[in-house]
Each structure stands twice: as structure tokens, then as C-alpha cells.
Amino acid sequence: MLRDLLLFLSHFKFARALITKFPVARAVSSRFVAGETIPDTVRVVGELKARGMMATADHLGENVSTEAEATRAADDCIRLLNEVSTDGIHSHVSIKLTQFGLDLGDEVAFANLRRVLERAKAANTFVRVDMEGTDYTDRTLALVRAAKDAGYDNAGTVIQSYLYRSEKDVAALIEDGIRVRLCKGAYKEPPDKAFPDKKDVDANYVKLSHMLLAAAKENPTLYPAIATHDENMVAAAKSFVNANQVPRTSFEFQMLYGIRRELQEALVAEGYNVRIYVPYGTEWYPYFMRRLAERPANLWFFVSNFFRR
């Protein structure tokens, strides 16, 4: 299956070395990645603000192997927060705990997470702790809860609808008062952990989005993020919101930079809150490959540009 192949290649070092040598790959990846530097990101965040959209800056990277690399990743997030505060362009940030040293131990990752949360708190902004493969799910949720227990209410996490466990996780996070970003999931998972069929992933997505939106109506501080480019999922959320009188101020739609721009603008025009994930950094290859795996249109865009060059 093509999706499985692309997800495999996202971790295959030889493929990475080969593909990243081609200038066209870097050029085409700019459709999905703001650039490699913080100024690139600040520029894009400003452009989104001018279009009536909010942003979350995502410093790409994962699975560092040394504490020095983990420290540098956290330092980069702090520099981004400093730059955004100086320029007056409000942005959330997104991080992966393996980028902060989770493979080296929970203590290493949590120490770096706390540093970023502290700076974000001073800047009056929010940190989204991204979800990775299922090997990390329990540890990620545990550290997000530990951050809340330590007094950081500006941390949230991500739940993936393709996992069987996600309904219980959503219910528990609602109970704990932790903000959730709901997505379908972009990692390769075995059939004993994830729904193998798209229709089941979609059905679970709708179910979980309704749970989150109903909870937000009662407690707007939960402020869920409905992250999807699927018009059917968007329509299901809008229908539930209208039927149950959920205030539009109590949630937001989220999409990725460079994908379904026309849908992003349509939602803004209809009065919905829309936030765009803005990835940046030198570690763009795994992210780029996962975007190709998600939609055939993305892969065709890459291939057509490759041969055009």
C-alpha cells in the first residue's frame, strides 16, 4: 500500500539522504513547511494573521539521541517565543516530547517541557504537546498531566482517532480539564491498536469530536481543536455545533500550512476560529513524507513538480 511505503520511507535513512539531495524536494516541501528559520516562521504567522487566522508554530524534529540536542530543541522554542512576543504576533507553539529527550528519560523531557511552558506562560500563550506513535502515548499523557499538576494550565495534547483507546483518553482528559487537539493520526500502527479501515477512523473521529464539543459547551476553557482537512469531518462538527448551540468561541478548527487553503478561508468567512499549524526547521523530511502519505493529491503535487524541474 502506497501510504505504508511512504510512512516507511519517512524513517528510512537511505531514502532521506537521497530525497533531500534534490533541490526540487526542498522546493516542493516549502508548500508544507514555512522555512528553516525562526524569521521564516514569524513572517508566515504574520501573513496568516492578516488573513484572519491564528497560528501554532511547530519546530520540526523528533527522537533526539543526546541531552544536548534536547536542550537545543527547547532553546529554539524559547527563542521563537521571544521573537513572537517582540514582534507582537501571537502564536502558540507545538512540540514533540521525543524532540525534548523522551527517549533519554521522562525527567529529561519534562525538564525541557517545563522551561518552554514557563516562557510561554510569561508570554501568555499555549503549548501543544504533540502525540507520536503508540509506544509514547502513555508517557506523553502522563507528562502533560504532570505539567498541569505543576501549575501549567497552558499545556494541552493531541488525541488520534485511529486508535481504539482514544475514546477513553478523551473522556479522561475532559475530566482532567486538559485541552485536546483531535486528529485522525499519521503514524503506521498495528491493527491491534488502530482501526485499519478509514470508515472506522472517520466514525470514531466524529464521535470524539462530538464528545469534545459537548464538553466545551459546558466548560469553554476546554476549547478543543478540531484538526482536519476532511470536509465530511468539518461538516459533522458544524452540524453538531448548530444543533446543540455550541458557541463558536468555545472551539476552533485547525489545519496544516499549505493544505486546503480554500477551506481555511471559507471557515474564516463563516465566522469560525481557524488556526494553522506552521512547521519550520531543518528536520523537514519526516514531516514532508507523512504529508505525502496522507493524500494522493499531495504526492501528485510532488511528483509533477519533480519531473517539471
Side-chain angles (χ1 to χ4, degrees):
M1 189 176 182
L2 182 59
R3 179 177 182 273
D4 292 343
L5 174 61
L6 290 169
L7 291 176
F8 169 75
L9 292 176
S10 72
H11 296 286
F12 190 43
K13 291 182 179 179
F14 177 78
R16 175 177 183 149
L18 179 65
I19 292 173
T20 56
K21 284 181 181 178
F22 292 105
V24 66
R26 188 179 297 268
V28 174
S29 73
S30 66
R31 172 177 175 172
F32 310 111
V33 179
E36 294 191 352
T37 69
I38 289 175
D40 291 331
T41 310
V42 171
R43 171 184 53 79
V44 169
V45 170
E47 291 170 356
L48 291 170
K49 182 179 180 181
R51 291 167 50 205
M53 301 178 194
M54 301 173 288
T56 290
D58 182 4
H59 179 217
L60 296 172
E62 51 197 76
N63 296 104
V64 302
S65 57
T66 69
E67 290 192 25
E69 290 175 315
T71 299
R72 284 196 296 271
D75 288 344
D76 192 88
C77 286
I78 291 170
R79 282 194 294 272
L80 173 68
L81 287 164
N82 291 339
E83 193 75 18
V84 169
S85 298
T86 300
D87 284 9
I89 302 172
H90 189 72
S91 174
H92 293 178
V93 296
S94 173
I95 64 96
K96 281 183 167 63
L97 288 178
T98 63
Q99 184 185 27
F100 278 17
L102 190 59
D103 290 332
L104 306 172
D106 291 9
E107 298 81 5
V108 175
F110 190 62
N112 284 312
L113 176 61
R114 285 191 70 151
R115 290 200 297 125
V116 171
L117 286 170
E118 191 66 33
R119 181 63 188 93
K121 193 172 185 179
N124 192 31
T125 195
F126 182 77
V127 177
R128 183 75 66 180
V129 180
D130 206 354
M131 192 58 72
E132 303 179 64
T134 50
D135 290 345
Y136 299 105
T137 304
D138 285 325
R139 294 170 67 196
T140 298
L141 293 176
L143 291 184
V144 171
R145 289 189 169 97
K148 184 173 178 60
D149 291 342
Y152 296 104
D153 291 326
N154 59 329
T157 192
V158 178
I159 293 296
Q160 302 159 320
S161 74
Y162 69 171
L163 299 181
Y164 300 129
R165 62 175 290 169
S166 291
E167 183 176 353
K168 289 184 178 179
D169 286 332
V170 165
L173 290 164
I174 289 171
E175 182 69 22
D176 293 338
I178 294 173
R179 286 166 57 174
V180 171
R181 176 183 193 253
L182 178 65
C183 68
K184 289 186 181 181
Y187 293 86
K188 175 63 177 174
E189 297 291 355
D192 64 321
K193 294 183 178 180
F195 295 104
D197 294 329
K198 181 181 182 298
K199 64 179 178 60
D200 295 321
V201 176
D202 289 354
N204 201 39
Y205 190 98
V206 171
K207 183 178 185 179
L208 299 181
S209 68
H210 291 178
M211 287 175 61
L212 289 164
L213 291 166
K217 179 181 178 181
E218 302 302 319
N219 180 9
T221 64
L222 289 170
Y223 193 72
I226 309 303
T228 183
H229 307 103
D230 186 330
E231 291 189 58
N232 292 327
M233 303 300 101
V234 170
K238 290 164 64 175
S239 177
F240 184 87
V241 164
N242 292 332
N244 293 276
Q245 298 181 318
V246 179
R248 294 186 180 185
T249 55
S250 64
F251 73 99
E252 66 187 26
F253 286 107
Q254 290 190 356
M255 296 186 188
L256 300 173
Y257 178 66
I259 300 178
R260 299 303 307 272
R261 178 169 174 164
E262 76 289 349
L263 182 55
Q264 298 168 11
E265 293 178 342
L267 288 168
V268 170
E270 292 171 18
Y272 290 99
N273 292 337
V274 176
R275 185 178 303 276
I276 308 301
Y277 259 56
V278 182
Y280 75 98
T282 59
E283 296 297 312
W284 54 268
Y285 172 77
Y287 177 87
F288 175 54
M289 295 302 289
R290 287 196 289 269
R291 299 295 76 78
L292 295 183
E294 284 177 347
R295 295 182 69 227
N298 292 341
L299 180 60
W300 172 245
F301 178 82
F302 171 63
V303 171
S304 61
N305 276 270
F306 185 91
F307 285 107
R308 187 178 302 144
R309 297 295 178 93

PDB file of all heavy atoms in Angstrom, residues 126-151:
ATOM      1  N   PHE A 126       0.230  29.367  24.589  1.00  0.00           N
ATOM      2  CA  PHE A 126      -0.144  27.973  24.826  1.00  0.00           C
ATOM      3  C   PHE A 126       0.835  27.023  24.134  1.00  0.00           C
ATOM      4  O   PHE A 126       1.343  27.317  23.050  1.00  0.00           O
ATOM      5  CB  PHE A 126      -1.563  27.765  24.274  1.00  0.00           C
ATOM      6  CG  PHE A 126      -2.134  26.396  24.460  1.00  0.00           C
ATOM      7  CD1 PHE A 126      -2.630  25.984  25.686  1.00  0.00           C
ATOM      8  CD2 PHE A 126      -2.191  25.513  23.390  1.00  0.00           C
ATOM      9  CE1 PHE A 126      -3.178  24.714  25.847  1.00  0.00           C
ATOM     10  CE2 PHE A 126      -2.729  24.249  23.534  1.00  0.00           C
ATOM     11  CZ  PHE A 126      -3.220  23.854  24.779  1.00  0.00           C
ATOM     12  N   VAL A 127       1.072  25.877  24.772  1.00  0.00           N
ATOM     13  CA  VAL A 127       1.971  24.868  24.221  1.00  0.00           C
ATOM     14  C   VAL A 127       1.180  23.589  23.972  1.00  0.00           C
ATOM     15  O   VAL A 127       0.569  23.042  24.897  1.00  0.00           O
ATOM     16  CB  VAL A 127       3.141  24.578  25.179  1.00  0.00           C
ATOM     17  CG1 VAL A 127       4.035  23.463  24.621  1.00  0.00           C
ATOM     18  CG2 VAL A 127       3.955  25.843  25.441  1.00  0.00           C
ATOM     19  N   ARG A 128       1.222  23.112  22.728  1.00  0.00           N
ATOM     20  CA  ARG A 128       0.569  21.858  22.394  1.00  0.00           C
ATOM     21  C   ARG A 128       1.621  20.747  22.381  1.00  0.00           C
ATOM     22  O   ARG A 128       2.578  20.800  21.601  1.00  0.00           O
ATOM     23  CB  ARG A 128      -0.093  21.945  21.023  1.00  0.00           C
ATOM     24  CG  ARG A 128      -0.869  20.693  20.635  1.00  0.00           C
ATOM     25  CD  ARG A 128      -2.175  20.567  21.371  1.00  0.00           C
ATOM     26  NE  ARG A 128      -3.096  21.635  20.994  1.00  0.00           N
ATOM     27  CZ  ARG A 128      -4.327  21.770  21.494  1.00  0.00           C
ATOM     28  NH1 ARG A 128      -4.784  20.922  22.412  1.00  0.00           N
ATOM     29  NH2 ARG A 128      -5.104  22.766  21.115  1.00  0.00           N
ATOM     30  N   VAL A 129       1.432  19.764  23.245  1.00  0.00           N
ATOM     31  CA  VAL A 129       2.334  18.617  23.272  1.00  0.00           C
ATOM     32  C   VAL A 129       1.800  17.603  22.276  1.00  0.00           C
ATOM     33  O   VAL A 129       0.759  16.979  22.505  1.00  0.00           O
ATOM     34  CB  VAL A 129       2.433  18.016  24.682  1.00  0.00           C
ATOM     35  CG1 VAL A 129       3.373  16.811  24.686  1.00  0.00           C
ATOM     36  CG2 VAL A 129       2.935  19.073  25.675  1.00  0.00           C
ATOM     37  N   ASP A 130       2.501  17.445  21.183  1.00  0.00           N
ATOM     38  CA  ASP A 130       2.030  16.609  20.093  1.00  0.00           C
ATOM     39  C   ASP A 130       2.073  15.132  20.486  1.00  0.00           C
ATOM     40  O   ASP A 130       2.809  14.729  21.378  1.00  0.00           O
ATOM     41  CB  ASP A 130       2.894  16.846  18.853  1.00  0.00           C
ATOM     42  CG  ASP A 130       2.165  16.536  17.560  1.00  0.00           C
ATOM     43  OD1 ASP A 130       1.031  16.020  17.621  1.00  0.00           O
ATOM     44  OD2 ASP A 130       2.731  16.809  16.492  1.00  0.00           O
ATOM     45  N   MET A 131       1.255  14.339  19.800  1.00  0.00           N
ATOM     46  CA  MET A 131       1.235  12.896  20.044  1.00  0.00           C
ATOM     47  C   MET A 131       2.044  12.203  18.954  1.00  0.00           C
ATOM     48  O   MET A 131       1.975  12.572  17.785  1.00  0.00           O
ATOM     49  CB  MET A 131      -0.201  12.377  20.061  1.00  0.00           C
ATOM     50  CG  MET A 131      -0.331  10.958  20.581  1.00  0.00           C
ATOM     51  SD  MET A 131       0.320  10.708  22.256  1.00  0.00           S
ATOM     52  CE  MET A 131      -0.932  11.578  23.226  1.00  0.00           C
ATOM     53  N   GLU A 132       2.790  11.187  19.351  1.00  0.00           N
ATOM     54  CA  GLU A 132       3.619  10.439  18.419  1.00  0.00           C
ATOM     55  C   GLU A 132       3.073   9.013  18.314  1.00  0.00           C
ATOM     56  O   GLU A 132       1.889   8.795  18.475  1.00  0.00           O
ATOM     57  CB  GLU A 132       5.076  10.518  18.871  1.00  0.00           C
ATOM     58  CG  GLU A 132       5.543  11.973  18.993  1.00  0.00           C
ATOM     59  CD  GLU A 132       6.956  12.151  19.455  1.00  0.00           C
ATOM     60  OE1 GLU A 132       7.877  11.729  18.727  1.00  0.00           O
ATOM     61  OE2 GLU A 132       7.168  12.720  20.558  1.00  0.00           O
ATOM     62  N   GLY A 133       3.915   8.034  18.017  1.00  0.00           N
ATOM     63  CA  GLY A 133       3.453   6.666  17.902  1.00  0.00           C
ATOM     64  C   GLY A 133       2.989   6.113  19.241  1.00  0.00           C
ATOM     65  O   GLY A 133       3.253   6.678  20.312  1.00  0.00           O
ATOM     66  N   THR A 134       2.313   4.971  19.203  1.00  0.00           N
ATOM     67  CA  THR A 134       1.694   4.436  20.425  1.00  0.00           C
ATOM     68  C   THR A 134       2.703   3.997  21.480  1.00  0.00           C
ATOM     69  O   THR A 134       2.337   3.841  22.644  1.00  0.00           O
ATOM     70  CB  THR A 134       0.773   3.246  20.084  1.00  0.00           C
ATOM     71  OG1 THR A 134       1.478   2.311  19.252  1.00  0.00           O
ATOM     72  CG2 THR A 134      -0.468   3.721  19.365  1.00  0.00           C
ATOM     73  N   ASP A 135       3.964   3.805  21.099  1.00  0.00           N
ATOM     74  CA  ASP A 135       4.978   3.495  22.109  1.00  0.00           C
ATOM     75  C   ASP A 135       5.124   4.629  23.123  1.00  0.00           C
ATOM     76  O   ASP A 135       5.627   4.405  24.230  1.00  0.00           O
ATOM     77  CB  ASP A 135       6.339   3.249  21.445  1.00  0.00           C
ATOM     78  CG  ASP A 135       6.383   1.949  20.662  1.00  0.00           C
ATOM     79  OD1 ASP A 135       5.483   1.101  20.863  1.00  0.00           O
ATOM     80  OD2 ASP A 135       7.306   1.783  19.848  1.00  0.00           O
ATOM     81  N   TYR A 136       4.686   5.837  22.730  1.00  0.00           N
ATOM     82  CA  TYR A 136       4.867   7.011  23.580  1.00  0.00           C
ATOM     83  C   TYR A 136       3.565   7.553  24.170  1.00  0.00           C
ATOM     84  O   TYR A 136       3.594   8.535  24.914  1.00  0.00           O
ATOM     85  CB  TYR A 136       5.529   8.137  22.775  1.00  0.00           C
ATOM     86  CG  TYR A 136       6.893   7.793  22.239  1.00  0.00           C
ATOM     87  CD1 TYR A 136       7.074   7.505  20.885  1.00  0.00           C
ATOM     88  CD2 TYR A 136       8.010   7.762  23.066  1.00  0.00           C
ATOM     89  CE1 TYR A 136       8.323   7.191  20.376  1.00  0.00           C
ATOM     90  CE2 TYR A 136       9.268   7.457  22.574  1.00  0.00           C
ATOM     91  CZ  TYR A 136       9.416   7.166  21.234  1.00  0.00           C
ATOM     92  OH  TYR A 136      10.664   6.861  20.738  1.00  0.00           O
ATOM     93  N   THR A 137       2.436   6.955  23.847  1.00  0.00           N
ATOM     94  CA  THR A 137       1.156   7.555  24.217  1.00  0.00           C
ATOM     95  C   THR A 137       1.003   7.723  25.733  1.00  0.00           C
ATOM     96  O   THR A 137       0.697   8.819  26.224  1.00  0.00           O
ATOM     97  CB  THR A 137      -0.022   6.732  23.669  1.00  0.00           C
ATOM     98  OG1 THR A 137       0.113   6.607  22.251  1.00  0.00           O
ATOM     99  CG2 THR A 137      -1.347   7.397  23.990  1.00  0.00           C
ATOM    100  N   ASP A 138       1.197   6.660  26.486  1.00  0.00           N
ATOM    101  CA  ASP A 138       1.002   6.738  27.936  1.00  0.00           C
ATOM    102  C   ASP A 138       1.969   7.724  28.580  1.00  0.00           C
ATOM    103  O   ASP A 138       1.576   8.506  29.459  1.00  0.00           O
ATOM    104  CB  ASP A 138       1.167   5.361  28.565  1.00  0.00           C
ATOM    105  CG  ASP A 138      -0.037   4.453  28.323  1.00  0.00           C
ATOM    106  OD1 ASP A 138      -1.172   4.968  28.301  1.00  0.00           O
ATOM    107  OD2 ASP A 138       0.160   3.242  28.139  1.00  0.00           O
ATOM    108  N   ARG A 139       3.219   7.708  28.147  1.00  0.00           N
ATOM    109  CA  ARG A 139       4.215   8.606  28.741  1.00  0.00           C
ATOM    110  C   ARG A 139       3.928  10.062  28.393  1.00  0.00           C
ATOM    111  O   ARG A 139       4.107  10.956  29.220  1.00  0.00           O
ATOM    112  CB  ARG A 139       5.612   8.207  28.277  1.00  0.00           C
ATOM    113  CG  ARG A 139       6.037   6.830  28.787  1.00  0.00           C
ATOM    114  CD  ARG A 139       7.320   6.364  28.119  1.00  0.00           C
ATOM    115  NE  ARG A 139       8.454   7.174  28.507  1.00  0.00           N
ATOM    116  CZ  ARG A 139       9.612   7.184  27.852  1.00  0.00           C
ATOM    117  NH1 ARG A 139       9.768   6.459  26.745  1.00  0.00           N
ATOM    118  NH2 ARG A 139      10.607   7.938  28.283  1.00  0.00           N
ATOM    119  N   THR A 140       3.458  10.295  27.169  1.00  0.00           N
ATOM    120  CA  THR A 140       3.108  11.659  26.773  1.00  0.00           C
ATOM    121  C   THR A 140       1.958  12.189  27.624  1.00  0.00           C
ATOM    122  O   THR A 140       2.027  13.310  28.163  1.00  0.00           O
ATOM    123  CB  THR A 140       2.728  11.704  25.288  1.00  0.00           C
ATOM    124  OG1 THR A 140       3.858  11.309  24.499  1.00  0.00           O
ATOM    125  CG2 THR A 140       2.286  13.094  24.869  1.00  0.00           C
ATOM    126  N   LEU A 141       0.915  11.400  27.761  1.00  0.00           N
ATOM    127  CA  LEU A 141      -0.231  11.835  28.566  1.00  0.00           C
ATOM    128  C   LEU A 141       0.175  12.033  30.027  1.00  0.00           C
ATOM    129  O   LEU A 141      -0.293  12.976  30.688  1.00  0.00           O
ATOM    130  CB  LEU A 141      -1.363  10.818  28.451  1.00  0.00           C
ATOM    131  CG  LEU A 141      -2.011  10.698  27.068  1.00  0.00           C
ATOM    132  CD1 LEU A 141      -3.056   9.586  27.066  1.00  0.00           C
ATOM    133  CD2 LEU A 141      -2.644  12.016  26.644  1.00  0.00           C
ATOM    134  N   ALA A 142       1.044  11.181  30.529  1.00  0.00           N
ATOM    135  CA  ALA A 142       1.485  11.309  31.922  1.00  0.00           C
ATOM    136  C   ALA A 142       2.247  12.611  32.140  1.00  0.00           C
ATOM    137  O   ALA A 142       2.050  13.296  33.165  1.00  0.00           O
ATOM    138  CB  ALA A 142       2.353  10.118  32.315  1.00  0.00           C
ATOM    139  N   LEU A 143       3.091  13.003  31.195  1.00  0.00           N
ATOM    140  CA  LEU A 143       3.866  14.236  31.363  1.00  0.00           C
ATOM    141  C   LEU A 143       2.992  15.478  31.180  1.00  0.00           C
ATOM    142  O   LEU A 143       3.219  16.503  31.831  1.00  0.00           O
ATOM    143  CB  LEU A 143       5.048  14.250  30.397  1.00  0.00           C
ATOM    144  CG  LEU A 143       6.147  13.231  30.708  1.00  0.00           C
ATOM    145  CD1 LEU A 143       7.328  13.399  29.757  1.00  0.00           C
ATOM    146  CD2 LEU A 143       6.627  13.350  32.148  1.00  0.00           C
ATOM    147  N   VAL A 144       1.990  15.396  30.308  1.00  0.00           N
ATOM    148  CA  VAL A 144       1.053  16.525  30.185  1.00  0.00           C
ATOM    149  C   VAL A 144       0.280  16.700  31.493  1.00  0.00           C
ATOM    150  O   VAL A 144       0.082  17.831  31.968  1.00  0.00           O
ATOM    151  CB  VAL A 144       0.099  16.307  28.996  1.00  0.00           C
ATOM    152  CG1 VAL A 144      -1.018  17.346  29.000  1.00  0.00           C
ATOM    153  CG2 VAL A 144       0.867  16.363  27.688  1.00  0.00           C
ATOM    154  N   ARG A 145      -0.131  15.599  32.083  1.00  0.00           N
ATOM    155  CA  ARG A 145      -0.831  15.680  33.380  1.00  0.00           C
ATOM    156  C   ARG A 145       0.108  16.200  34.475  1.00  0.00           C
ATOM    157  O   ARG A 145      -0.305  16.976  35.345  1.00  0.00           O
ATOM    158  CB  ARG A 145      -1.410  14.319  33.755  1.00  0.00           C
ATOM    159  CG  ARG A 145      -2.598  13.902  32.905  1.00  0.00           C
ATOM    160  CD  ARG A 145      -3.274  12.646  33.438  1.00  0.00           C
ATOM    161  NE  ARG A 145      -4.540  12.412  32.763  1.00  0.00           N
ATOM    162  CZ  ARG A 145      -4.712  11.590  31.737  1.00  0.00           C
ATOM    163  NH1 ARG A 145      -3.671  10.896  31.266  1.00  0.00           N
ATOM    164  NH2 ARG A 145      -5.897  11.451  31.166  1.00  0.00           N
ATOM    165  N   ALA A 146       1.351  15.778  34.428  1.00  0.00           N
ATOM    166  CA  ALA A 146       2.327  16.262  35.407  1.00  0.00           C
ATOM    167  C   ALA A 146       2.522  17.766  35.271  1.00  0.00           C
ATOM    168  O   ALA A 146       2.677  18.481  36.274  1.00  0.00           O
ATOM    169  CB  ALA A 146       3.658  15.533  35.237  1.00  0.00           C
ATOM    170  N   ALA A 147       2.509  18.272  34.040  1.00  0.00           N
ATOM    171  CA  ALA A 147       2.635  19.711  33.824  1.00  0.00           C
ATOM    172  C   ALA A 147       1.450  20.456  34.418  1.00  0.00           C
ATOM    173  O   ALA A 147       1.611  21.500  35.059  1.00  0.00           O
ATOM    174  CB  ALA A 147       2.755  20.006  32.329  1.00  0.00           C
ATOM    175  N   LYS A 148       0.254  19.920  34.234  1.00  0.00           N
ATOM    176  CA  LYS A 148      -0.935  20.563  34.817  1.00  0.00           C
ATOM    177  C   LYS A 148      -0.862  20.537  36.340  1.00  0.00           C
ATOM    178  O   LYS A 148      -1.167  21.543  36.997  1.00  0.00           O
ATOM    179  CB  LYS A 148      -2.214  19.880  34.337  1.00  0.00           C
ATOM    180  CG  LYS A 148      -3.483  20.563  34.843  1.00  0.00           C
ATOM    181  CD  LYS A 148      -4.713  19.973  34.220  1.00  0.00           C
ATOM    182  CE  LYS A 148      -5.981  20.633  34.764  1.00  0.00           C
ATOM    183  NZ  LYS A 148      -6.010  22.091  34.498  1.00  0.00           N
ATOM    184  N   ASP A 149      -0.435  19.419  36.892  1.00  0.00           N
ATOM    185  CA  ASP A 149      -0.303  19.315  38.347  1.00  0.00           C
ATOM    186  C   ASP A 149       0.741  20.289  38.891  1.00  0.00           C
ATOM    187  O   ASP A 149       0.657  20.724  40.050  1.00  0.00           O
ATOM    188  CB  ASP A 149       0.071  17.888  38.751  1.00  0.00           C
ATOM    189  CG  ASP A 149      -1.049  16.892  38.509  1.00  0.00           C
ATOM    190  OD1 ASP A 149      -2.212  17.333  38.356  1.00  0.00           O
ATOM    191  OD2 ASP A 149      -0.769  15.680  38.456  1.00  0.00           O
ATOM    192  N   ALA A 150       1.713  20.634  38.046  1.00  0.00           N
ATOM    193  CA  ALA A 150       2.754  21.578  38.451  1.00  0.00           C
ATOM    194  C   ALA A 150       2.322  23.029  38.270  1.00  0.00           C
ATOM    195  O   ALA A 150       3.109  23.949  38.522  1.00  0.00           O
ATOM    196  CB  ALA A 150       4.027  21.314  37.652  1.00  0.00           C
ATOM    197  N   GLY A 151       1.082  23.225  37.839  1.00  0.00           N
ATOM    198  CA  GLY A 151       0.547  24.586  37.735  1.00  0.00           C
ATOM    199  C   GLY A 151       0.552  25.175  36.344  1.00  0.00           C
ATOM    200  O   GLY A 151       0.255  26.361  36.169  1.00  0.00           O
TER     201      GLY A 151
END
